[in-house]
Amino acid sequence: MIAALRRFLGIGERRSITASLNDTLELCVGRRPAGKVRARGRIGRRRVAVVERTPGEGDQPPPNALHVLLDELVPSLSMRQRAQLFDLVQSAVLDDLSRPGSAMLAGNLLLLRNRLREPLPEPSGAPAAPQRLIVDNLFGADERTFWVFGWCRDDDGALAAAEIVSPEGQRAKLLDGAYRFPRRDVEEEFAATGIGTTVKHGFANLIELPHPSPLVDGWLAELRGSAVDFELSLPAAIRDPVTIRAHVLAESANERPDIDVLRRDHARPALDRLQAHVRRSIAIEEVVQHGEPPPSPEVSVIVPLYGRTDLVEHQIAQFWNDPDMAAAELIYVLDSPELGNQLTHEAALLHDLYGLPFKVVRVNRNGGYATANNLGVTQARGRLIVLVNSDVIPDRPGWLSHMREFHDATPDVGAVGPKLLFEDESIQHAGMYFHFEHRTNLWENQHYFKGFSRTLEAAAVSRPVPAVTGACLMVDRELYQRVGGLHEGYVQGGYEDSDLCLRLIDAGKRNWYLADVELYHLEAQSLPIEVRHANRYNAWLQTHLWSDQIAQLMVAQPDLPRAEVAALD
Amino acid sequence: MKKKRVLYVLHNHPTLRPGGAEAYALELYRTMREQPDIEPVLVARSGRGGDIDPTVHPGAPFSVVGSDPNEYFLYTDTDGVDFFYETYRDKSLYTVYIADFLRTFKPDVVHFQHTHFIGYDMLTLTRRLLPDVPIVYTLHEYLPICHRDGQLVRTTTEEPCLESSPRRCHECFPEWPQAYFFLRERLIKSHLEHVDQFLCPSNFLLERYVDWGIPREKLRFEDYGRIPQEPLPDPNPNRPRTRLGFFGQISPYKGVDVLLEAMRVLGQKAPDVHLDLHGANIDVLPPAYKEHIETRLAAAGPNVSFVGPYTPGDVPRLMANIDWVVVPSRWWENSPLVIQEAFMHKRPVVCSRIGGMAEKVTDGVDGIHFTKSNAGELADKVRIATSTPGEWERLRDGIGSVYSMDEHVASLRAIYEGLDRGSAAGSKAAPLLAEAPG
């Protein structure tokens, strides 16, 4: 019976067997392999090779499933031979994890890892041997970069090494370079066992693997040391960008004296990788032009839409009867794909009702405020662009040509931002400055005269300012692109505008507050907690990137008393 | 000679549900139909919520009312109306169906009597499709200004209000953030900008719209015109003049509860004074208020008769049976049609001393004012007036003539003419919004 099975499986007297690792790669044991050899070696007396199979080549028997080969082979291998076999196969195929369709290969590597690895014991959990390490969260910022968050108590110093093992068997040091911080919850839980309260048990670490890890399940941690050899199964890796971003931002919003270390060494690279990862899959899905666009617009107005589309009607009701808007190019950029069909339908009807030509750019997924604007700019034909929030409503027609005339008449102009008003006629924006917040040690953005009367004399003067808000900002399109557009490293719509203004100053330009043009900006009143976390991070990133320039700039522009600001310049 | 085609747009057809403005608008339409050089077209909204099922054709919101080829229902679904912005959510109502109607009928003048349930968007659409056609809009209440059913009455205190702003309106409707009231005003004004001439049946209303930012030159006083009615002879001309009448909708704003409270007081002090309550639409009252009124009615003595709904044809007979018409509204009113009707039938009016009522009724000349919501004062004044010999006759003799439908039609024709061509273009160029300060 067994002999017949072996014959059927192609395992002949020479005890040779092949198994597929993915569509093209095979693991061959025993027989001389057909096809291009990736790697070969001897495990004991057996010849082992990884080969690239060419379809239709020769009359080779079809390969087996890998577990069949392993059932046959593994019982006869020593632990050392098993490790050798795993190293041989893994090193031959890891590069293929970067290729499309790597899931099958990764799954087979996980199978190999589990069958060829000598497992360490799992922790007993007995009171005498309390839990030593827990990974609470494992987040994939991209295919190779993982944010690992948890705690480790090693009060007795017994732990010599902690490694994290990916499903495909890639290894990385778990705690090397980690940001450590106190975990009150852990201290409370283990208070009875005399846990140290001066020790930082918590850790957050951004771990980079040499190769992608496409699987979410199968992560391990191996802990070794005097009397502590054991392993742990880790939670599945989470890859949802929204969840990851919220976690990383919340952790980096903690106020600790050394929190900048977390931000600099872990949070920023994690968020940058995450954004780059998301960004790679972002594409313009559809561009619909409603009506006949102006033949050669001087100005392109770009309005990003996120999470809601109802304000489009309110803007178009105010835009359509303004000759300036009819001559300009109006571009809505929607990066909330779930609202795409709704907007497409509404936009067509709004065009029919109002007759104003405009363009709707649909982006396939949300990539943040900066990305939406930058994508919108790629669709713009105007010499000038105006970034406009969807909750900005002009006070009266003609605002656009006023801004354009001012822009064009001002030498070395960077960004131009008008007076923005709340719905109760108090000032929302009359230019921005940077304020050093001692509580957080960060340069934060502040608006001149916010909350003061629309008719305030000091706000009636157009003047250079450190920055203007992106809620309504005019800039030369080529200049915008030359300085790199909005920086996509900021999160969830904050500080991209001031960062742009700083880059414009860096490029020798000056940003201007324009007092004669008034629009309303219905700035949201209450910010969700995630946005507050994002703003803290964004303020840090701005400070990290620009603190010297900002400090220099603000020496020339004291922020108090505000009334004197108008007298400057 | 080509007739001037005037399209009248109305929020409800009086055959579906009675209402003062609706009744007036239908009278106007029918009078215009008699003009040799005018061809009126009527579009009245129908929809769920009325007590008569509207005719709905699949895929066509328009349907004929009867045999008149110029009289149409326009069906809109009440659930499809955004009552905050006063707009119909499905814009294809405008871009497909109303556009089709306007292109088919090509009116020379569009005179909106109301856009409730239809949406202000129709103004913008009309202007876009018919750029040279005069647009006239009769303001019946304060709906563009006030989300509280256009009544200018605060939800917080039930006091009349003279100051709308995002902050104040948000106080009345805490569920709507301030910014939304700003958006509401801006959106509505963007549509109203296309109106060439607003007609204001009272000066009080006119001033409210000036305060709100409509340029004064676009607003014009023009009262409702009425088809004259001869009063029926009094059944008993020598009777004591102690019978009061209330005519109109029983709604929280109309002050029926104040009147009922006054009747309770009068029941003890002047038992001869009697009230006939002719009230419509009690069935659609908010349940709490309906209960309130029913309780008051039940508590009222034999000096109150609740008669119920009536039709315009009933009015002469009902007026002949009473001596005084009471208009106890808690809101400003505009130009209450019931005051015109009372005056046509030579009945002095007892009314709240506010807004359009105080404007139309002169205290001590053709009626009596009392302080709004003050049932005690109302009772006192009624008691004194009904017990003072010759007082009723004196006030009756003070009643002047009521603005007639013929005068009104002549005035409207002049308005339509005046807006034609050149002058229309001139007034269109004027921005709706006054220049901002600063």
Side-chain angles (χ1 to χ4, degrees):
Chain A
M1 179 69 196
I2 289 182
L5 182 65
R6 286 184 172 181
R7 270 196 301 282
F8 174 74
L9 294 171
I11 307 170
E13 295 306 307
R14 283 152 52 207
R15 299 180 59 77
S16 68
I17 181 168
T18 65
S20 54
L21 295 167
N22 67 4
D23 291 345
T24 54
L25 293 172
E26 283 178 8
L27 175 60
C28 304
V29 178
R31 171 170 63 75
R32 175 186 298 279
K36 185 184 167 202
V37 176
R38 275 276 186 91
R40 71 169 87 225
R42 277 185 180 276
I43 305 295
R45 294 201 321 278
R46 293 181 188 78
R47 288 193 295 188
V48 176
V50 175
V51 297
E52 287 175 30
R53 180 188 176 90
T54 314
E57 188 180 287
D59 55 351
Q60 302 296 325
N64 299 284
L66 183 62
H67 69 89
V68 175
L69 181 149
L70 292 175
D71 287 347
E72 174 69 22
L73 189 62
V74 173
S76 62
L77 298 181
S78 67
M79 289 315 299
R80 199 174 141 266
Q81 288 171 331
R82 293 179 195 188
Q84 282 177 343
L85 176 60
F86 184 73
D87 288 347
L88 186 146
V89 177
Q90 194 201 36
S91 60
V93 305
L94 273 173
D95 280 344
D96 291 73
L97 288 172
S98 305
R99 305 212 167 94
S102 61
M104 180 182 174
L105 179 62
N108 280 327
L109 280 172
L110 175 59
L111 182 62
L112 283 165
R113 189 201 77 178
N114 285 348
R115 295 292 294 275
L116 300 176
R117 186 179 64 95
E118 181 175 20
L120 300 174
E122 301 212 354
S124 65
Q131 193 76 43
R132 196 168 281 269
L133 181 138
I134 284 287
V135 170
D136 297 305
N137 303 104
L138 179 62
F139 290 129
D142 62 16
E143 297 92 337
R144 299 199 297 123
T145 318
F146 293 84
W147 172 278
V148 193
F149 183 85
W151 57 265
C152 173
R153 53 170 306 199
D154 186 32
D155 299 336
D156 54 7
L159 186 65
E163 274 192 325
I164 188 165
V165 185
S166 82
E168 312 76 24
Q170 302 184 68
R171 288 169 177 273
K173 297 275 182 259
L174 183 57
L175 298 172
D176 287 12
Y179 172 74
R180 301 299 297 261
F181 58 95
R183 283 277 297 253
R184 299 290 168 230
D185 56 338
V186 174
E187 289 167 19
E188 278 168 29
E189 190 177 341
F190 295 102
T193 63
I195 190 169
T197 52
T198 54
V199 182
K200 295 171 174 178
H201 295 103
F203 68 86
N205 204 1
L206 193 67
I207 281 169
E208 194 172 345
L209 301 176
H211 299 279
S213 173
L215 301 181
V216 296
D217 284 312
W219 288 81
L220 296 169
E222 290 183 353
L223 278 66
R224 296 174 202 276
S226 52
V228 292
D229 282 5
F230 65 86
E231 68 178 43
L232 293 167
S233 292
L234 302 190
I238 288 173
R239 295 185 178 277
D240 168 45
V242 176
T243 310
I244 300 172
R245 200 178 284 131
H247 169 90
V248 173
L249 290 172
E251 286 309 320
S252 47
N254 279 307
E255 283 184 42
R256 295 191 201 100
D258 64 347
I259 194 68
D260 278 6
V261 175
L262 177 74
R263 291 167 174 158
R264 187 192 62 219
D265 296 344
H266 301 278
R268 186 183 178 205
L271 294 170
D272 283 352
R273 302 280 169 92
L274 184 64
Q275 177 64 14
H277 181 59
V278 169
R279 189 70 175 82
R280 275 196 291 278
S281 64
I282 288 183
I284 291 176
E285 202 165 42
E286 187 188 37
V287 179
V288 180
Q289 173 69 47
H290 297 280
E292 198 63 40
S296 49
E298 273 229 280
V299 185
S300 298
V301 177
I302 294 157
V303 187
L305 299 172
Y306 172 66
R308 61 190 288 191
T309 60
D310 59 312
L311 292 163
V312 174
E313 176 178 1
H314 292 278
Q315 280 191 328
I316 289 181
Q318 305 299 330
F319 285 165
W320 80 274
N321 220 8
D322 181 349
D324 282 3
M325 289 303 299
E329 178 184 50
L330 176 58
I331 301 173
Y332 284 100
V333 184
L334 178 73
D335 69 350
S336 298
E338 70 280 7
L339 297 174
N341 291 335
Q342 186 189 329
L343 179 67
T344 300
H345 178 68
E346 287 168 355
L349 289 168
L350 287 172
H351 170 69
D352 286 350
L353 180 58
Y354 290 96
L356 182 73
F358 61 95
K359 192 182 281 187
V360 174
V361 177
R362 274 173 72 170
V363 178
N364 61 343
R365 65 184 291 188
N366 177 249
Y369 171 78
T371 305
N373 277 293
N374 290 341
L375 284 171
V377 172
T378 65
Q379 300 297 306
R381 293 178 297 143
R383 171 175 63 85
L384 303 173
I385 54 171
V386 190
L387 310 183
V388 175
N389 280 9
S390 65
D391 57 357
V392 166
I393 301 280
D395 181 47
R396 50 191 182 273
W399 61 279
L400 205 51
S401 48
H402 269 99
M403 282 182 84
R404 191 194 66 226
E405 284 156 18
F406 182 87
H407 177 278
D408 290 353
T410 306
D412 295 325
V413 67
V416 177
K419 185 191 286 181
L420 298 178
L421 305 166
F422 287 112
E423 68 278 2
D424 64 0
E425 311 282 323
S426 54
I427 290 174
Q428 191 270 331
H429 167 266
M432 297 199 296
Y433 63 92
F434 302 101
H435 164 75
F436 191 79
E437 176 58 57
H438 291 283
R439 194 172 53 84
T440 57
N441 277 333
L442 298 174
W443 284 102
E444 296 183 355
N445 291 354
Q446 290 289 342
H447 294 54
Y448 288 113
F449 313 126
K450 193 166 187 167
F452 298 174
S453 167
R454 171 183 193 164
T455 59
L456 183 78
E457 223 172 287
V461 188
S462 300
R463 57 195 173 81
V465 287
V468 295
T469 177
C472 184
L473 175 161
M474 175 178 273
V475 65
D476 182 276
R477 176 162 57 93
E478 282 178 14
L479 176 62
Y480 175 89
Q481 282 167 329
R482 194 160 72 238
V483 300
L486 291 183
H487 191 314
E488 299 184 16
Y490 293 88
V491 186
Q492 283 179 344
Y495 290 78
E496 296 92 340
D497 45 8
S498 48
D499 179 278
L500 173 70
C501 289
L502 286 163
R503 271 181 288 140
L504 290 168
I505 290 171
D506 215 33
K509 306 294 179 186
R510 287 212 291 184
N511 304 306
W512 281 79
Y513 161 63
L514 176 54
D516 312 330
V517 171
E518 293 171 317
L519 297 94
Y520 290 88
H521 179 205
L522 310 176
E523 192 187 30
Q525 280 163 8
S526 59
L527 295 179
I529 183 93
E530 300 82 39
V531 177
R532 276 186 278 139
H533 289 160
N535 276 342
R536 178 69 60 83
Y537 172 78
N538 291 338
W540 170 79
L541 182 56
Q542 174 166 277
T543 307
H544 180 69
L545 296 174
W546 295 103
S547 62
D548 291 350
Q549 290 92 331
I550 290 174
Q552 233 174 358
L553 200 59
M554 291 317 294
V555 166
Q557 303 241 11
D559 55 14
L560 285 172
R562 291 168 167 200
E564 286 174 13
V565 173
L568 291 170
D569 199 86
Chain B
M1 191 188 110
K2 186 184 173 290
K3 288 186 177 184
K4 188 190 281 284
R5 187 177 278 168
V6 183
L7 170 62
Y8 292 95
V9 179
L10 188 56
H11 66 302
N12 167 37
H13 197 287
T15 61
L16 297 177
R17 185 154 206 102
E22 295 89 323
Y24 148 78
L26 190 63
E27 269 182 21
L28 172 63
Y29 168 72
R30 289 186 174 152
T31 309
M32 283 292 183
R33 217 164 44 179
E34 308 305 318
Q35 306 293 308
D37 53 346
I38 297 236
E39 183 198 356
V41 178
L42 183 75
V43 167
R45 183 262 177 182
S46 69
R48 284 199 306 103
D51 37 11
I52 297 167
D53 254 355
T55 311
V56 195
H57 302 308
F62 286 96
S63 59
V64 294
V65 173
S67 57
D68 181 347
N70 279 10
E71 194 174 343
Y72 289 90
F73 286 129
L74 168 59
Y75 175 87
T76 64
D77 191 331
T78 306
D79 293 339
V81 180
D82 181 329
F83 289 104
F84 187 74
Y85 295 117
E86 288 283 322
T87 182
Y88 202 59
R89 290 195 194 88
D90 180 358
K91 304 289 182 205
S92 61
L93 173 72
Y94 313 111
T95 60
V96 178
Y97 301 106
I98 296 179
D100 222 29
F101 191 91
L102 292 173
R103 288 192 193 103
T104 304
F105 282 85
K106 295 189 184 64
D108 300 302
V109 174
V110 181
H111 185 161
F112 290 90
Q113 289 291 342
H114 223 305
T115 42
H116 199 37
F117 295 109
I118 298 171
Y120 297 112
D121 308 52
M122 187 174 171
L123 295 163
T124 292
L125 180 78
T126 304
R127 175 53 73 234
R128 282 204 48 237
L129 294 185
L130 307 167
D132 300 324
V133 160
I135 297 178
V136 180
Y137 197 112
T138 298
L139 295 163
H140 295 287
E141 69 323 76
Y142 313 91
L143 206 52
I145 304 175
C146 178
H147 181 49
R148 181 90 191 274
D149 300 326
Q151 305 289 299
L152 301 184
V153 176
R154 305 214 74 196
T155 65
T156 45
T157 58
E158 295 298 332
E159 283 301 304
C161 169
L162 279 181
E163 186 203 339
S164 77
S165 73
R167 176 179 63 78
R168 297 256 303 171
C169 297
H170 167 65
E171 286 168 9
C172 276
F173 295 93
E175 67 275 27
W176 288 98
Q178 275 193 189
Y180 283 79
F181 282 99
F182 169 84
L183 288 172
R184 180 185 184 278
E185 180 179 333
R186 287 280 153 160
L187 186 65
I188 291 173
K189 280 182 172 172
S190 79
H191 294 305
L192 292 181
E193 183 169 359
H194 308 301
V195 174
D196 298 304
Q197 185 71 69
F198 292 97
L199 301 182
C200 307
S202 72
N203 284 304
F204 178 83
L205 174 139
L206 188 151
E207 293 302 325
R208 298 291 72 72
Y209 281 91
V210 170
D211 290 350
W212 193 54
I214 305 282
R216 189 178 285 278
E217 60 272 19
K218 282 198 172 191
L219 295 156
R220 173 182 174 139
F221 171 77
E222 176 68 30
D223 206 348
Y224 300 120
R226 303 307 300 267
I227 295 172
Q229 288 183 330
E230 280 304 307
L232 290 178
D234 286 352
N236 175 8
N238 297 320
R239 69 182 183 205
R241 296 297 177 174
T242 55
R243 299 186 70 87
L244 312 181
F246 174 90
F247 298 84
Q249 322 242 359
I250 296 181
S251 83
Y253 310 115
K254 291 285 186 181
V256 177
D257 51 342
V258 177
L259 179 54
L260 289 173
E261 171 61 14
M263 291 311 293
R264 192 187 59 77
V265 174
L266 286 166
Q268 294 148 15
K269 294 187 173 174
D272 292 348
V273 176
H274 188 88
L275 169 70
D276 282 355
L277 196 58
H278 300 288
N281 294 344
I282 197 165
D283 55 314
V284 292
L285 284 179
Y289 189 75
K290 188 179 173 195
E291 204 183 308
H292 174 60
I293 289 293
E294 283 168 349
T295 310
R296 284 286 171 97
L297 272 174
N303 62 344
V304 176
S305 309
F306 178 67
V307 191
Y310 60 97
T311 65
D314 299 335
V315 170
R317 187 176 48 81
L318 302 179
M319 286 282 180
N321 283 332
I322 55 107
D323 306 304
W324 310 82
V325 171
V326 188
V327 186
S329 295
R330 297 169 181 280
W331 74 293
W332 303 106
E333 293 278 4
N334 173 20
S335 173
L337 291 155
V338 65
I339 293 178
Q340 291 184 324
E341 277 159 5
F343 286 170
M344 280 197 286
H345 295 93
K346 300 293 175 193
R347 263 50 192 166
V349 174
V350 182
C351 66
S352 308
R353 190 188 298 106
I354 57 166
M357 294 170 285
E359 177 182 329
K360 303 292 174 181
V361 176
T362 310
D363 194 21
V365 175
D366 49 15
I368 296 167
H369 291 178
F370 72 95
T371 306
K372 172 196 70 68
S373 302
N374 190 332
E377 186 186 334
L378 172 59
D380 270 356
K381 291 203 162 171
V382 167
R383 184 177 52 78
I384 293 165
T386 53
S387 59
T388 306
E391 180 67 355
W392 182 82
E393 289 77 5
R394 186 180 73 79
L395 294 173
R396 179 199 60 193
D397 294 344
I399 295 171
S401 64
V402 170
Y403 191 54
S404 75
M405 185 59 90
D406 285 347
E407 292 170 279
H408 183 45
V409 164
S411 176
L412 286 181
R413 292 174 56 129
I415 289 168
Y416 299 159
E417 281 311 314
L419 291 173
D420 245 0
R421 286 161 286 280
S423 56
S427 96
K428 240 179 294 167
L432 176 68
L433 298 170
E435 276 293 293

